[in-house]
Amino acid sequence: MKLEGRNALVTGAGRGIGAAIALRLAADGADVVVNYLDDQDEAEGIRAQIEAMGRHSAALRADISNVAQAQRLMEEAITALSEIDILVNNAGIEKRAPFLDITPEQYQAQIAVDLSAPFFLTQAFVRQRVAARRPGSVINISSVHEDLPFPHFTAYCMAKGGLKMMMRNLAIELASCGIRVNNVAPGAIATPINRTLLSDPKLLKPLLANIPMGRMGQPDEVASVVSFLASDEASYITGTTIVVDGGLLWSYSEQ
């Protein structure tokens, strides 16, 4: 198994893409810490599935928008698995807010979860890897909107654009430490958060018209890329974004 002997922390892993990532990393041999905020039952379910594969796991609650909680999460994850050598910054929020209406509170919440949390979690991760003189891999779950404008979601696009530059800078700064940093940028993925979209043909049809492959992606299709980037198969890949979008990025247009 390509990740045997590796230990991973996946944020926002109780459901959706994060859950798929946690399960795929475990299936490929890793022990996995499942972070969650308010979906404890789901997170415990993912932990149980991981342990049923014969892997070690823990479900840890933390509000990573709070820097102190994010730092404590890394400490608790290391305690649970002895060390963490794969960090997947998956947790994120996407809130529609027209530019003229967005409040300071909405803006700060978006930036705190989607940009500041990956920054400080990565810092905590790198500190323990450097102290141990051990390599590591950071994988950020970004979005096609790190490049693609999305009207009424300016703060979200700002955060994802910032995540792209954070990744590029850290890939260069940390390469000498043996730490690789990459992004995975999903397009439209069929997850529970999109239940309304998936059940309404009037909403779904124009979206699918923008996707050359004619369908939404599945969480497992994102998770497989994450597992690849975490493995030695990607040992010479750092500072890049892999887009998982069925061609949407180069085909999308606002109707």
Side-chain angles (χ1 to χ4, degrees):
M1 292 186 179
K2 63 186 179 183
L3 297 179
E4 187 171 2
R6 306 287 178 85
N7 300 323
L9 166 61
V10 183
T11 65
R15 60 176 71 140
I17 292 173
I21 291 169
L23 292 171
R24 178 56 184 262
L25 295 180
D28 286 339
D31 295 335
V32 184
V33 169
V34 176
N35 161 250
Y36 69 95
L37 176 58
D38 57 10
D39 49 346
Q40 182 175 3
D41 290 344
E42 292 170 300
E44 290 289 352
I46 299 301
R47 177 196 58 76
Q49 290 183 62
I50 292 169
E51 292 183 344
M53 298 180 198
R55 314 284 172 249
H56 297 293
S57 185
L60 300 178
R61 184 189 184 281
D63 177 0
I64 60 170
S65 68
N66 180 293
V67 174
Q69 288 194 41
Q71 292 169 333
R72 188 177 73 244
L73 171 63
M74 183 58 66
E75 294 172 359
E76 292 177 350
I78 292 168
T79 298
L81 298 182
S82 299
E83 66 174 352
I84 297 294
D85 48 23
I86 301 166
L87 171 62
V88 182
N89 287 310
N90 166 76
I93 59 174
E94 178 184 301
K95 300 292 186 182
R96 188 182 193 278
F99 179 66
L100 294 180
D101 299 332
I102 189 170
T103 66
E105 292 76 18
Q106 290 171 323
Y107 171 85
Q108 292 293 346
Q110 187 79 74
I111 299 300
V113 175
D114 289 354
L115 185 57
S116 297
F119 183 97
F120 288 106
L121 270 168
T122 300
Q123 184 185 63
F125 171 79
V126 171
R127 282 173 173 165
Q128 56 99 20
R129 300 317 291 162
V130 169
R133 297 187 177 182
R134 301 269 289 170
S137 176
V138 179
I139 301 150
N140 304 306
I141 306 305
S142 181
S143 166
V144 291
H145 297 296
E146 69 173 41
D147 285 314
L148 181 67
F150 194 15
H152 308 296
F153 291 84
T154 299
Y156 177 77
C157 293
M158 288 172 61
K160 294 303 184 180
L163 195 62
K164 178 179 179 178
M165 286 308 302
M166 184 187 94
M167 172 270 292
R168 288 180 168 183
N169 276 271
L170 293 182
I172 296 168
E173 186 171 343
L174 301 175
S176 63
C177 303
I179 296 172
R180 298 183 297 109
V181 188
N182 293 289
N183 282 9
V184 175
I189 306 298
T191 62
I193 199 171
N194 292 319
R195 189 175 293 112
T196 300
L197 170 67
L198 292 167
S199 62
D200 187 341
K202 292 181 179 179
L203 296 175
L204 184 59
K205 184 177 179 179
L207 172 61
L208 296 182
N210 276 307
I211 303 174
M213 292 187 71
R215 66 173 178 86
M216 295 180 71
Q218 297 298 317
D220 287 346
E221 293 176 302
V222 179
S224 64
V225 178
V226 173
S227 183
F228 164 70
L229 286 173
S231 75
D232 290 340
E233 294 175 353
S235 59
Y236 201 54
I237 300 176
T238 194
T240 195
T241 295
I242 296 181
V243 178
V244 184
D245 73 341
L248 179 148
L249 178 60
W250 300 116
S251 177
Y252 184 85
S253 63
E254 286 289 323
Q255 300 299 317

